[in-house]
Amino acid sequence: MKMIRAIVRPDKTEAVSEALAQAGMPSLTKMHVFGRGRTKGIRIGDVVYDEFPKTLLLMVVEDEKLDEAISVILESAKTGTMGDGKIFVTEVEEAYTVSKGTKGL
């Protein structure tokens, strides 16, 4: 299993969520976050904007669904301009459903 952490523009959150659901991956967690990328923000006159609102999407997928999930996120989150976001993938050793106490997704 893999955990995907996708940081996307807030205005792209619903498009990404809907695209993932249509691809058969409806389970995810959304968090409103603030951050910046490599540019360390932007300067407009005397004001420096160094934190921008983003949405962090967390989801766990089976290994065989990883490439499809990444593709769906990339396609539905992309505007083609700086600040579209990042995707991070990490290994998940185990998962449990709390209500039933069962192991696995």
Side-chain angles (χ1 to χ4, degrees):
M1 290 179 286
K2 300 287 192 271
M3 175 173 281
I4 300 171
R5 292 174 182 90
I7 300 168
V8 300
R9 295 174 182 267
D11 59 320
K12 288 293 192 171
T13 303
E14 286 308 311
V16 174
S17 297
E18 289 174 15
L20 286 166
Q22 288 178 358
M25 296 171 271
S27 301
L28 57 82
T29 300
K30 302 176 191 178
M31 289 185 273
H32 299 289
V33 296
F34 292 87
R36 64 177 185 224
R38 283 185 230 152
T39 61
K40 300 179 186 172
I42 59 172
R43 177 181 292 276
I44 300 175
D46 292 336
V47 179
V48 176
Y49 297 93
D50 65 350
E51 291 186 346
F52 300 97
K54 300 290 181 183
T55 301
L56 174 61
L57 303 174
L58 299 170
M59 61 186 298
V60 176
V61 296
E62 297 292 349
D63 290 340
E64 59 271 5
K65 289 284 218 170
L66 179 63
D67 290 339
E68 182 182 6
I70 299 280
S71 293
V72 167
I73 295 167
L74 288 172
E75 290 172 18
S76 56
K78 184 177 181 177
T79 68
T81 59
M82 197 168 25
D84 278 349
K86 291 279 188 191
I87 300 172
F88 303 96
V89 179
T90 54
E91 188 71 32
V92 173
E93 293 183 25
E94 296 179 353
Y96 295 87
T97 300
V98 175
S99 63
K100 296 183 181 190
T102 55
K103 185 175 180 178
L105 292 178

